Amino acid sequence: MRIVVIDKSKCVPKKCASECLKFCPVARGGQTIITIGEKASIQEDLCIGCGICVHKCPFGAISVVNLPEETGAMTHRYGHNGFSLFGLPSPSGSVGLLGPNGTGKSTLARIFAGQLVPNFGADTPEGARKKVLEVYAGTELGTHFKDLYDGKLRVAFKPQEVTVIPKLFTGTVRDMLAKVDERGKADEVAHDLGISHILSRSLKDLSGGELQKVAIAAALLRKADLVIIDEPGSFLDVYERIRVADIIHKYAPRVFVIEHDLIMLDYLAETVNVLYGRPGVFGVVSLRKNTRVGINEFLDGFLKAENMRVRDSPLKFLSKPSSETGSRSIVSFPDFTVDLGDFVLHSPAGDLKQSEVVGILGRNALGKTTLVKVLAGQLKPTTGQFDGATANLKVSYKPQYVEPSGAPVAVLFKSIPVDPAINLNRDIYTPLSLSHLLTRSASALSGGELQRVAIGLCLAQEADLYLLDEPSAYLDSEQRVNTAKLIRRLTQAREKVALVVEHDLMLMDYLSDRIMVFTGQPGKEGHASSPLPSSKAMNLFLKEVDITLRRDPESRRPRINKQDSNKDKELRAKNQFYEA
Ligand code: SF4
Ligand code: SF4
């Protein structure tokens, strides 16, 4: 099967010379394969797949893809020459979805919630329910859709985008929860999620993390047989992610969850389907896989049953500590405090060594970013004397919140002192998938695109110390894997040091040679540890969070143990919360 997809946002006939039409051999032979009105339109049944238009279009608007027969039938298409989705996950049990953004995960969530009726590739925006029931008759999917359309299957939905909630609802958190509280448990759920103290606050005054927890509470308060949860981990710190996962387990009978934090996904789902394809062009749903196997195959980059490679190289978890860490100290800092008036950070003396990645782990509002700003020279400590060598270090810093500038991305890269040891194409643009963004204005980029640009700008510079504050925010699981590999590779190849604040526990485990753990009272005082061997630091942190982690025997990735499971009891008995 061949599909031709035109990115309508890129196709601007007024600014091109109709190259697609001029150079298409079928059109030149006299057939009406391409018509150009407000946008181009290409007849797939006449296309011979030569790819000439793909290369000739000056804006890269066209994709022509030949799909193998095994891909199966199209489930949904967003109009003529639009994004195409193939396959559906099985709806039984708690299902997880993982894969790159733009391959159809949110579309699947809407189909499962009954918000979108699949059209099986027809040109209509939505299909007919009757056709859906015919296509899936006699299968688990048929039962799901019949019960859903008959109103027998009640579904609650936590959408991906929570920052729009204040635009959709006015009033306080309590007002909103009261509207959806079909179970009469608003106070109990609010207490469990730690949002009781904000019930009387206006929705418009909430932070992203607070809105996320309110949205999750709203979904859990519905009398639902299935709760669809799109990205519950966004805006939450590592502690809150684990707590939220536990609460979802407690209240939701069954979940359909999309999450890029693979530890969280692993904890919530019984089975997973991996999505692969080309973002914005097509997505294919893999067969149903046991969660352990599915995540391992995703990290390995190869789906065995489908015989499909989804990434060039695997993500391998190393035994800790890494033997490649050099012993030469690159940064050393004294005991210091930062007094910000209503918040005080205490940090003991420490040092950061050549070729190592040091992670920073802890709840929000404990001063992690404050410490990073001190090391970046953006904030003066209240006490503590930094020596001249440390003060003169070259630091490259990616802040937590990235402010987009109006300049094209290529201009931003021209404006920085690029490390002569770096080949921008090979070392930055390709691994971070930035090549197609170079001509775009940074202010027009999505959150994930902007994050990748900011990471690229940080890592491309010549520096002694690379500080990256929450690099995985807004990135999908695939981009997180690629970013983690890049940070490690460049740190070791350049024999520099990277300090990374991160809430994705699996990335933290993969990235870090040593870790600084933050404890204290959020918003009041924070206590940093000195950089500790990662196993010791993880143990300290997990004890505080009260969960245990085991290692997957095959991939060596960390997995959360269910409370009171045999492994959980075994590790707790040894006072060991982390299996190194
Ligand atoms: S697809 Fe490209 S070449 Fe064709 S009309 Fe659109 S912008 Fe022009
Ligand atoms: S791929 Fe070739 S045949 Fe198909 S529309 Fe493009 S130029 Fe024409």
Side-chain angles (χ1 to χ4, degrees), residues 72-150:
M74 196 180 284
T75 308
H76 189 75
R77 188 158 208 193
Y78 284 101
H80 179 63
N81 294 142
F83 172 85
S84 307
L85 177 67
F86 297 84
L88 280 182
S90 164
S92 64
S94 285
V95 180
L97 289 184
L98 74 158
N101 283 339
T103 51
K105 295 189 298 302
S106 292
T107 299
L108 288 170
R110 291 182 60 221
I111 289 174
F112 266 68
Q115 294 180 357
L116 177 70
V117 181
N119 61 14
F120 303 103
D123 269 352
T124 52
E126 293 218 31
R129 290 181 168 188
K130 190 164 168 274
K131 171 96 189 269
V132 174
L133 297 178
E134 277 167 20
V135 169
Y136 297 115
T139 68
E140 285 176 330
L141 281 165
T143 309
H144 172 88
F145 287 119
K146 179 150 191 350
D147 289 348
L148 182 69
Y149 296 159
D150 288 348

Side-chain angles (χ1 to χ4, degrees), residues 165-215:
I165 290 174
K167 292 181 193 141
L168 304 175
F169 298 92
T170 51
T172 64
V173 175
R174 190 183 291 286
D175 296 336
M176 181 181 158
L177 295 186
K179 274 187 204 154
V180 296
D181 188 11
E182 296 165 356
R183 305 172 76 178
K185 290 189 171 182
D187 286 334
E188 185 186 330
V189 172
H191 171 266
D192 284 354
L193 282 166
I195 53 172
S196 302
H197 64 292
I198 59 166
L199 286 175
S200 54
R201 295 235 313 259
S202 170
L203 289 164
K204 67 179 171 37
D205 295 331
L206 301 186
S207 67
E210 288 166 338
L211 284 170
Q212 182 68 269
K213 285 184 273 184
V214 169

Side-chain angles (χ1 to χ4, degrees), residues 345 360 366-375 379 397 399-401 469-470 501 518:
L345 168 68
I360 293 187
L366 287 175
K368 300 186 301 298
T369 297
T370 303
L371 178 128
V372 167
K373 282 186 174 170
V374 169
L375 294 179
L379 196 62
Y397 175 41
Q400 181 182 11
Y401 300 107
D469 201 344
E470 296 194 30
V501 179
F518 279 61

Side-chain angles (χ1 to χ4, degrees), residues 29 78 148 241 302 345 380 419 423 477 515:
Y78 284 101
L148 182 69
R241 288 177 193 195
F302 183 69
L345 168 68
K380 281 219 170 313
D419 185 344
N423 175 314
S477 36
I515 297 174

